[in-house]
Amino acid sequence: TRTLIRSYALQGKPVNEILSLVNNALATDNRLAMFSTCFLGIMELKTGTVEYCNAAHSQPFVILPNTDVYVLDTRGGMALGMLENMTYRVSTITMQPGMTLVLYTDGITDATNIRREMYGTERIGLTLASNAALAPQELMMALLSSVDQFVAGEEQADDIGIVILRYTGSTTP
């Protein structure tokens, strides 16, 4: 999936076309019904504008410079590889200096404790809100620590991945 995305992205294709092409490649002869969720965004570094599509991936969070936290609207399409000829809706967000985008896999939301309760999206939002002023690396560690405390040693059932992007502006490296 990653190789296909890179290949089409390097051709300069728009995000929705990239996902449609990747989806068709994965869906062809997919007898095992394998699929991949995906959030794909391409940022124009000079302006902070991100065009993105969501293929059934967990909804990202945005942290504003004033530390307000909200869920990014990512109503999108079906997971990649399920059915051929799917279309994906393009959305846009313009990142301002100091804004942070937090992406995560469902291994975080689906992490369960001994009572079989899931960590869930609400706990992610609360953890991000109480740690919003931290640097991205520290924010990631705070979220992972919160999940670890919640599951209290229960076995991990799915992958856990986090990507945190803080936009510093076009003049700052």
Side-chain angles (χ1 to χ4, degrees):
T1 302
R2 181 176 175 248
T3 300
L4 288 168
I5 289 171
R6 277 182 168 227
S7 173
Y8 293 127
L10 290 171
Q11 295 174 28
K13 297 190 181 302
V15 289
N16 60 330
E17 188 176 332
I18 292 168
L19 288 189
S20 291
L21 289 165
V22 170
N23 175 68
N24 285 343
L26 295 175
T28 302
D29 297 323
N30 185 6
R31 291 181 292 281
L32 296 177
M34 299 289 289
F35 66 91
S36 177
T37 67
C38 179
F39 175 91
L40 177 61
I42 298 178
M43 176 185 270
E44 173 59 48
L45 293 176
K46 290 179 184 171
T47 64
T49 300
V50 180
E51 287 191 345
Y52 63 88
C53 290
N54 189 358
H57 197 69
S58 304
Q59 287 187 286
F61 281 85
V62 173
I63 304 173
L64 299 174
N66 68 1
T67 68
D68 286 346
V69 176
Y70 69 91
V71 176
L72 185 63
D73 177 17
T74 59
R75 286 172 276 149
M78 186 175 288
L80 301 173
M82 300 283 290
L83 296 170
E84 292 182 61
N85 301 318
M86 297 303 302
T87 58
Y88 295 90
R89 179 178 148 234
V90 177
S91 298
T92 304
I93 182 173
T94 300
M95 302 285 287
Q96 301 300 316
M99 283 178 72
T100 303
L101 183 64
V102 180
L103 301 147
Y104 54 92
T105 61
D106 62 358
I108 292 181
T109 53
D110 295 350
T112 56
N113 61 20
I114 197 164
R115 293 182 301 280
R116 309 315 307 151
E117 299 167 321
M118 294 199 308
Y119 188 79
T121 305
E122 183 178 345
R123 280 188 184 86
I124 294 172
L126 293 170
T127 300
L128 294 176
S130 64
N131 294 282
L134 296 177
Q137 177 88 13
E138 295 167 326
L139 183 61
M140 178 189 68
M141 296 309 294
L143 182 54
L144 288 172
S145 177
S146 175
V147 172
D148 283 345
Q149 289 174 1
F150 177 79
V151 299
E154 287 299 301
E155 187 174 331
Q156 180 179 327
D158 202 352
D159 64 299
I160 290 180
I162 302 170
V163 173
I164 298 179
L165 171 74
R166 178 159 298 151
Y167 183 65
T168 57
S170 63
T171 60
T172 306

